[in-house]
């Protein structure tokens, strides 16, 4: 009886998958859920909502609902996506965290490389190194000198373990061969507030969070983390870290699109095609440029290139995280 039940269950699952594979996607009246493993209003949430609006135009004007399943460094929402039915009606958007959580977390209920279908990289968001208003250093050379004279006393804020600012901080310390005292916050907003209030010294965070503060002269800006200077008017005069003596330093916060493992290949293809069309949508481009983001246009927008890129990023960040001895339970 158990064997018959098992066979019936397998047949039912196969039939469901075949139905999802064979039907027109998305079916009329069906809602696509886009899981964002971060809080509403944050940078990734903003990218997700902009993308959803542009993608739905390519998917028969389907309704795409954003589900903010935040917590535990994006692992809660990512696990939820991994468990979802692989029929194309649940998608996931995540940032660089997809490449760092395998090293940051000792126990995960999913495997980043094996439990998802990759649908393409969306964008890259540059980062900036900023300091409190009262910091005596006015440029990066002076910052470097100041850090050297205050070993063990420099506070480096971040938005929490696994956040973009945390990762940038780890890379900065490794590249500069120095140690600073990490000060984790529950999000970028309180970290920046304390930086403005001169409670902490430095922060390395996304342009989506820092450009407004830099423009308003509420913080001091020292460098960008990209290989080349940015073209944004507000940041075009900032040097790259490589220019000011931190060689081979490059950190950008990319976002990628995923589906649960087993989602039919033709549906993944449709999702990828809709995403690529969205990346050429003038409205989407305009919104992303306002955030300081750079639209992806290389081989990473293809599923194969996306997965290969994430594999390389896992190796890259694994070394940094291991060297720093930073883990989350």
């Amino acid at each position: 009886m158990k064997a018959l039940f098992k066979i019936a269950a397998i047949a039912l699952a196969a039939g469901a998958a075949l139905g999802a594979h064979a039907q027109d996607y998305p079916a009329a009246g069906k809602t696509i859920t886009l899981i964002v493993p971060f809080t509403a209003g944050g940078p990734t949430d903003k990218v997700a909502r902009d993308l959803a609006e542009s993608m739905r135009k390519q998917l028969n004007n389907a309704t795409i609902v954003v589900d903010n399943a935040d917590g535990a460094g994006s692992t809660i929402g990512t696990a939820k996506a991994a468990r979802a039915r692989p029929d194309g009606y649940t998608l996931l958007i995540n940032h660089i965290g997809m490449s760092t959580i395998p090293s940051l977390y000792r126990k995960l209920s999913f495997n980043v490389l094996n439990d998802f279908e990759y649908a393409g990289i969306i964008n890259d968001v540059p980062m900036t190194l900023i300091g409190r208003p009262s910091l005596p250093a006015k440029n990066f050379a002076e910052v470097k000198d100041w850090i050297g004279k205050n070993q063990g006393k420099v506070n480096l804020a971040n938005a929490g373990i696994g956040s973009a600012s945390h990762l940038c901080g780890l890379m900065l310390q490794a590249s500069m061969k120095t140690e600073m005292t990490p000060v984790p916050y529950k999000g970028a907003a309180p970290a920046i507030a304390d930086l403005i209030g001169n409670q902490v010294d430095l922060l390395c965070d996304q342009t989506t969070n820092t450009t407004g503060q830099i423009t308003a002269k509420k913080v001091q800006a020292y460098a960008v983390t990209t290989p080349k200077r940015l073209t944004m008017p507000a940041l075009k005069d900032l040097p790259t870290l490589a220019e000011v003596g931190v060689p081979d330093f490059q950190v950008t916060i990319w976002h990628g699109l995923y589906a649960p493992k087993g989602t039919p290949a033709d549906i993944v293809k449709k999702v990828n095609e809709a995403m690529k069309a969205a990346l050429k949508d003038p409205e989407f481009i305009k919104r992303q440029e306002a955030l300081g983001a750079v639209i992806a246009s290389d081989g990473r927008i293809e599923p194969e290139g996306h997965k290969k890129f994430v594999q390389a990023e896992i190796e890259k960040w694994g070394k940094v995280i291991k060297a720093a001895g930073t883990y989350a339970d």
Side-chain angles (χ1 to χ4, degrees), residues 80-144:
K80 183 177 181 179
R83 294 192 302 267
R85 185 176 179 179
D87 57 6
Y89 292 98
T90 300
L91 303 174
L92 167 73
I93 183 172
N94 201 348
H95 65 18
I96 194 173
M98 283 295 272
S99 66
T100 59
I101 52 182
S103 298
L104 281 170
Y105 289 84
R106 301 177 193 277
K107 295 180 181 179
L108 289 172
S109 62
F110 58 87
N111 183 290
V112 167
L113 293 175
N114 298 332
D115 291 343
F116 296 94
E117 304 294 346
Y118 285 62
I121 291 290
I122 301 160
N123 65 11
D124 294 290
V125 182
M127 304 191 77
T128 50
L129 178 64
I130 57 177
R132 57 181 165 85
S134 62
L135 200 69
K138 303 306 176 186
N139 55 52
F140 184 80
E142 292 180 3
V143 167
K144 186 176 181 180

Side-chain angles (χ1 to χ4, degrees), residues 25 34 51 55 88 90-94 98 112 116-123 255-261 263-277 279 296 298-308 310:
Y25 172 84
L34 178 58
L51 183 72
M55 278 186 64
T90 300
L91 303 174
L92 167 73
I93 183 172
N94 201 348
M98 283 295 272
V112 167
F116 296 94
E117 304 294 346
Y118 285 62
I121 291 290
I122 301 160
N123 65 11
H255 293 87
L257 190 62
Y258 308 81
K261 186 69 175 181
T263 301
D266 61 342
I267 290 180
V268 175
K269 182 178 179 181
K270 282 190 175 182
V271 170
N272 172 254
E273 289 174 346
M275 184 205 78
K276 288 189 291 188
L279 300 189
D298 55 16
R300 298 174 303 157
I301 65 174
E302 302 295 344
E304 298 81 7
H306 179 187
K307 188 169 186 177
K308 185 177 180 180
V310 173

Side-chain angles (χ1 to χ4, degrees), residues 75 80 98 124 163 179 187 289:
T75 60
K80 183 177 181 179
M98 283 295 272
D124 294 290
S163 66
E179 290 187 12
E289 287 179 343

